[in-house]
Amino acid sequence: MPELPEVETVRSGLAGRATGEILESLVVGHPGILEDCTPRDLSDLSGFRIERFDRIGKYLLVRLSKRPALRTLVVHLGMSGQFTFQAATEESVEGFVRMPSGYVKTKGPPEPDRHTHLAMGCRSGARFLFRDPRRFGRILVLDGWGYTGHPRLDRLGPDAISLSESALAVRLRERGGSRAVKAVLLDQSVLAGVGNIYADEACFEARIRPDRIASRLTGPARTRLARAVLAVLGRGIANAGTTFRDFVAADGEAGRNAEDLRVYARAGEPCLVCSRPLSGGIVATRGTVWCPHCQK
DNA sequence: AGTACTACCTGGAGGC
DNA sequence: TGCCTCCAGGTAGTAC
């Protein structure tokens, strides 16, 4: 679901197309997705210009300015969140786009529906939509442009792909503790950005059982794990994210990484290395898949 | 302090 | 066909 590679795919897609837009009308559908802010705080962003898009872990940070004021719109996609952008030139009517040849069905961003919890119209006529059927996503408005300033952000460890392989290995040693390797990878205060899919993929690539106690890993195993984390996240970004059901990039396109996954959602199917059946179970309260032969 | 577990939420899949 | 139950999972909060 939206983990670091998916959020990075959204961020880079927006950075290229939506930077410079000026917000005009901000309409909240379901206030439950707002955290520590009100619909009024959102509508007060009218007139702010989008200066850049940043990301830390699974959080998208939309940097806004108006005269001396700086704000950050923080977006977390939860499990099923979609944050899409439709440029003014892509005039659409109920799922259709007007082209020179007439109206044609669009494969682009979704149209507003009962799962659309925030719509942001821009002065240019462009539009952002935040859609999230399961409503695990959250939106916050913060003063300033920091990477801290709210408990959610203050708790985060370093962004996973901001670390070198050796720094990541050190981090895993210092913050490993007496819990499963998978629990450590999922702990956003250790490392920000890894979720259930990439945790399983990283453990497989490092040939480490996800239920191994982290503090008992050898040095070489930690190094393999650090390398694997960076590798699987890098592949995910290169493939524009993993789409199982809901994830789409800012332009509405699905990611291509699902076909590159080696263990996630493949319990019972043959291991791509040894051909023995993959095991499935619960580790750190999450559905987990691993190869009992290849991962020790 | 560190670790473990549950509530939140909905759509889709599977059983009968 | 339709109803029911179960499952997915990121995070905060609570329990131990």
Side-chain angles (χ1 to χ4, degrees), chain A residues 266-268 277-283 286-292:
Chain A
R266 295 193 62 242
L278 296 171
S279 295
I282 302 291
V283 177
R286 291 281 172 259
T288 302
V289 185
W290 70 96
C291 175

Side-chain angles (χ1 to χ4, degrees), chain A residues 31 33-42 73 139-142:
Chain A
I33 57 139
L34 302 182
E35 185 163 307
D36 298 334
C37 63
T38 64
R40 178 63 191 272
D41 294 323
L42 271 294
L73 182 71
I139 287 182
L140 301 76
V141 178
L142 305 181

Side-chain angles (χ1 to χ4, degrees), chain A residues 10-24:
Chain A
V10 172
R11 190 207 65 78
S12 64
L14 292 171
R17 297 201 303 138
T19 303
E21 294 285 352
I22 295 170
L23 301 178
E24 195 168 66

Side-chain angles (χ1 to χ4, degrees), chain A residues 191-203:
Chain A
L191 201 63
V194 176
N196 201 40
I197 295 174
Y198 295 97
D200 276 11
E201 294 297 311
C203 287

Side-chain angles (χ1 to χ4, degrees), chain A residues 36-66:
Chain A
D36 298 334
C37 63
T38 64
R40 178 63 191 272
D41 294 323
L42 271 294
S43 61
D44 283 349
L45 295 178
S46 181
F48 275 78
R49 180 181 190 272
I50 297 175
E51 303 295 343
R52 53 185 290 173
F53 294 91
D54 292 328
R55 181 192 57 73
I56 179 164
K58 304 170 189 173
Y59 289 86
L60 174 68
L61 308 175
V62 185
R63 306 303 198 179
L64 305 167
S65 75
K66 185 168 82 170

